[in-house]
Amino acid sequence: MSEHFLVTGGNRLEGEVLVGGAKNSVLKLMAAALLAEGTTVVTNCPDILDVPLMADVLRGLGCEVELEDSEVRITTPAEPKYHADFDAVKQFRASVCVLGPLVARCRRAVVALPGGDAIGSRPLDMHQSGLRLLGARSEIEHGCVVAEADDLHGANIRLVFPSVGATENILMAAVLARGETVIDNAAREPEIVDLCNMLNEMGAKVSGGGSSTLTIQGVRKLEPTTHRVIGDRIVAATWGVAASMTRGDVRVRGVNHKHLGLVLDKLRTAGAEVTPEVDGFRVIQRERPKAVNFATLPYPGFPTDLQPMAIGLAAVAEGTSMITENVFESRFRFVEEMIRLGADARTDGHHAVIRGVPVLSSAPVWSSDIRAGAGLVLAGLVADGTTEVHDIFHIDRGYPRFVENLRGLGGVIERVGTD
């Protein structure tokens, strides 16, 4: 049985939506529980498919994991297993984040090369080179990343690109290494700060979170903790863009608006009234959006995860927009599906030129990744007729209560099962 969405366009989104914990944070926080024997509790967990998938990865490593409502309890044994096999990690890319904690705790890790979204290559070179500088040996063998170390020691590590995944794995290995580690050109995302905060609550000594330089003083042992996941800025921004595309009025709660500074500025440029609030923001779009240029960059730049939403906004904006993708080379696959919906779009290498049209036209389309799927639903909201969005399991991996939230804002969407 497979499922797809039926999205009927024409409605203006209005109302309030609550955002849960960040997908790009919770999975790494769950992996960090491997660093301490005992029970770690992660709260404000989003109800998304990737959380139970990560729970299965941890169970395969010897942990006991309980999922209840928005809370995950992870009990890590004194001696975790060190082999994350392919069956556990094949479905999502974030599973590779167990590599650093396993090297730190077990001094050995075997992690099958993971699967995930089809948005372009994401090699593990920086993960491996960072671990090698910490004293580990690391190779790719039989489809697995194999790393082992007799001893981990501090090092000065400069990343050639501020990779979120490499920063996280090196950081989690370094907290239990001997001496001081400095990571230069580190990722600055709010999710990195969230991980640093949790590690410090466990007894680590990490400074510089949110800057391009992380300094870690290694400690001998960490203790379990209880930590609340930050709100999901990508989900929050998706609802903000949806408000702008549908000329709606949406209040988004449960997120720090400061994590979305550039995104909200772009919505203002498109003609929206954007009001920051204590626990979120409000977007009101009264007229047709204006064309806006976007270029994806590591934080604090415009997120690559929001590129499909930027293309959706540009597709119905007044004027011509240029979208530049600087992070993942295959993310423009989404444009082919937008063209099915009547978008006037052309791509050339890392650039897409979008000439806005007043209304898109409904058609069957296919999701290639989490964000592309959400972007296609948003496009369906501003298309005439009913749009079929297929391969929606991608959306379920990143957006909790997607249908319920969209209906709550006045969107017309139905989940349909097909043989």
Side-chain angles (χ1 to χ4, degrees), residues 7-349:
V7 185
T8 302
N11 281 20
R12 181 175 189 257
L13 297 189
E14 295 183 86
E16 181 176 287
V17 60
L18 178 64
V19 172
K23 168 191 177 293
N24 289 339
S25 188
V26 65
L27 305 177
K28 322 305 171 62
L29 302 179
M30 292 174 67
L34 290 166
L35 291 165
E37 179 184 357
T39 301
T40 292
V41 181
V42 181
T43 65
N44 195 35
C45 291
D47 182 17
I48 56 174
L49 183 59
D50 276 10
V51 169
L53 290 177
M54 178 58 85
D56 286 342
V57 171
L58 295 177
R59 292 187 184 107
L61 297 171
C63 299
E64 296 179 8
V65 185
E66 300 174 35
L67 305 174
E68 186 173 347
D69 296 327
S70 60
E71 182 175 290
V72 180
R73 300 177 63 86
I74 304 162
T75 302
T76 302
E79 296 184 6
K81 300 175 183 177
Y82 59 80
H83 188 175
D85 63 26
F86 181 70
D87 285 341
V89 307
K90 65 182 178 182
Q91 298 184 70
F92 66 121
R93 180 72 184 186
S95 56
V96 78
C97 66
V98 301
L99 179 63
L102 290 177
V103 173
R105 271 300 299 284
C106 307
R107 294 297 191 262
R108 179 170 172 78
V110 180
V111 180
L113 293 173
D117 293 332
I119 56 177
S121 62
R122 293 191 273 190
L124 301 179
D125 297 357
M126 284 186 284
H127 302 243
Q128 291 182 276
S129 62
L131 293 176
R132 290 184 188 119
L133 288 170
L134 292 174
R137 299 174 293 280
S138 182
E139 303 294 339
I140 304 292
E141 298 178 5
H142 308 294
C144 296
V145 186
V146 179
E148 53 187 351
D150 301 321
D151 180 49
L152 290 178
H153 54 75
N156 291 322
I157 300 170
R158 180 170 181 80
L159 301 179
V160 296
F161 178 84
S163 160
V164 172
T167 299
E168 290 163 341
N169 262 326
I170 296 166
L171 166 63
M172 288 191 279
V175 292
L176 292 180
R178 180 172 41 83
E180 180 180 272
T181 297
V182 177
I183 306 174
D184 282 321
N185 200 27
R188 301 166 58 187
E189 275 74 0
E191 294 79 16
I192 295 288
V193 178
D194 201 21
L195 177 59
C196 290
N197 289 340
M198 176 172 166
L199 292 172
N200 285 337
E201 292 163 10
M202 297 172 75
K205 297 180 179 179
V206 182
S207 60
S211 76
S212 59
T213 301
L214 292 177
T215 302
I216 304 105
Q217 303 291 341
V219 298
R220 296 187 64 182
K221 184 180 180 182
L222 296 180
E223 300 292 339
T225 190
T226 296
H227 182 84
R228 180 180 174 84
V229 186
I230 61 171
D232 196 314
R233 62 193 172 98
I234 304 301
V235 172
T238 299
W239 298 126
V241 174
S244 183
M245 289 177 65
T246 63
R247 307 183 202 183
D249 179 356
V250 175
R251 175 175 276 114
V252 183
R253 294 178 47 241
V255 70
N256 186 342
H257 67 83
K258 294 179 181 177
H259 295 165
L260 288 163
L262 180 58
V263 175
L264 298 182
D265 282 345
K266 290 291 186 181
L267 291 180
R268 290 187 183 99
T269 302
E273 299 172 19
V274 181
T275 307
E277 298 185 346
V278 174
D279 66 340
F281 57 90
R282 182 180 181 183
V283 176
I284 305 174
Q285 184 86 39
R286 303 186 189 279
E287 305 291 341
R288 183 180 174 188
K290 298 179 178 65
V292 181
N293 295 332
F294 297 87
T296 66
L297 288 168
Y299 190 85
F302 192 85
T304 182
D305 279 354
L306 289 176
Q307 184 241 79
M309 293 65 174
I311 291 175
L313 179 62
V316 294
E318 185 176 356
T320 300
S321 304
M322 177 175 285
I323 316 292
T324 303
E325 174 56 54
N326 293 307
V327 182
F328 291 128
E329 68 273 13
S330 295
R331 202 143 222 170
F332 278 150
R333 291 177 59 182
F334 168 78
V335 175
E336 298 172 9
E337 300 305 302
M338 286 296 296
I339 292 172
R340 290 180 189 268
L341 293 171
D344 184 351
R346 301 291 184 273
T347 61
D348 181 10

Side-chain angles (χ1 to χ4, degrees), residues 360-391:
L360 297 174
S361 57
S362 57
V365 289
W366 281 262
S367 308
S368 57
D369 64 80
I370 296 170
R371 310 307 172 184
L376 290 170
V377 171
L378 265 56
L381 295 174
V382 289
D384 60 5
T386 299
T387 296
E388 296 180 11
V389 181
H390 295 268
D391 291 344

